[in-house]
Amino acid sequence: MAMTSRPYVIPSLLRSSSEMARRIMAFDFSKTPLGPSDLWSSSMRSHINTMLASSLSECLLFGPELIMVYNDPYAPLVGKEIDARLGVSFKDMTGESWKELEPLFKIVYEKGAVCMRYLPFHWNRTGYLEECYYEFCYSLVYDDAVAEPSHIGVRISCSDTTSRVLTQRRIECLRDLDRAGNAAQCVEQVYSMTEEVL
């Protein structure tokens, strides 16, 4: 009798109807350092379930390899390669940027959490280079099912602050143009002062 391969399903995630829940349940994690998802700890499943229910952009990075699992709001951050990023190492995904990010993770491991605001990025998410700004919070996630809880990964929570930053920049530019126009003594000064502002 031929044996059929059993799909890797996380029962505790079945109550979630999100797109990323479906993708996570369909993904074969046995080919990653995390191993088959039906063998994951209850704590790990709980963290994933909480992440999927969140309206914030969140990504969980598990194990020393920092294997990525993320929710629907976070998916746009990885651009068109939604499935290609799932189950891969965050270190590999960030490429050369990991050299800059590694010290940050060392702080997270030491202090438990780090938050940063209005970080600038230039990302090619949808076919062209975009100027983006984000607020990030990195925090440890723990396996609380053991006698002495130990961290099993890192949670990234972030929000897109690009609109806020660009709006503030435009307001400041308009204010400076207004000041320049009021201070100008002649048309030539208006032109020269406008050039300085822009």
Side-chain angles (χ1 to χ4, degrees):
M1 182 172 152
M3 294 185 66
T4 57
S5 59
R6 180 168 55 89
Y8 292 101
V9 177
I10 309 172
S12 62
L13 297 184
L14 291 177
R15 65 177 180 264
S16 175
S17 59
S18 71
E19 175 64 19
M20 283 313 301
R22 185 189 66 77
R23 290 175 185 268
I24 291 169
M25 289 186 286
F27 192 85
D28 185 358
F29 282 94
S30 68
K31 298 177 181 177
T32 75
L34 299 185
S37 54
D38 57 350
L39 299 180
W40 289 352
S41 69
S42 59
S43 290
M44 189 170 170
R45 296 183 187 194
S46 178
H47 286 304
I48 293 174
N49 212 25
T50 301
M51 173 198 69
L52 289 172
S54 175
S55 59
L56 298 174
S57 299
E58 292 193 355
C59 178
L60 289 169
L61 310 175
F62 288 110
E65 300 87 358
L66 301 175
I67 302 300
M68 298 176 64
V69 181
Y70 42 89
N71 64 5
D72 288 65
Y74 190 91
L77 295 179
V78 301
K80 298 177 180 179
E81 301 180 336
I82 295 177
D83 286 327
R85 302 299 191 195
L86 185 62
V88 303
S89 168
F90 185 75
K91 298 175 185 179
D92 295 338
M93 192 276 287
T94 54
E96 287 297 315
S97 298
W98 174 248
K99 294 177 183 177
E100 299 172 14
L101 291 168
E102 189 173 13
L104 170 66
F105 276 79
K106 289 181 178 178
I107 296 173
V108 174
Y109 291 135
E110 290 173 5
K111 297 187 175 181
V114 171
C115 292
M116 297 164 295
R117 304 180 68 191
Y118 308 131
L119 288 180
F121 292 93
H122 287 89
W123 281 345
N124 184 349
R125 299 180 295 181
T126 54
Y128 62 93
L129 203 60
E130 300 175 69
E131 180 183 8
C132 307
Y133 293 84
Y134 280 86
E135 181 173 324
F136 285 96
C137 287
Y138 294 73
S139 58
L140 294 178
V141 293
Y142 292 86
D143 183 354
D144 53 13
V146 295
E148 294 184 12
S150 59
H151 68 80
I152 56 175
V154 175
R155 179 190 305 275
I156 301 176
S157 298
C158 60
S159 58
D160 188 340
T161 56
T162 304
S163 177
R164 189 185 312 166
V165 171
L166 296 184
T167 298
Q168 183 61 33
R169 185 188 298 171
R170 292 183 185 111
I171 290 172
E172 291 174 0
C173 180
L174 290 173
R175 184 187 61 223
D176 292 343
L177 286 172
D178 182 59
R179 287 176 180 169
N182 290 332
Q185 301 292 320
C186 60
V187 174
E188 287 76 14
Q189 279 190 340
V190 172
Y191 290 144
S192 62
M193 294 173 80
T194 299
E195 284 182 1
E196 289 178 11
V197 171
L198 298 177

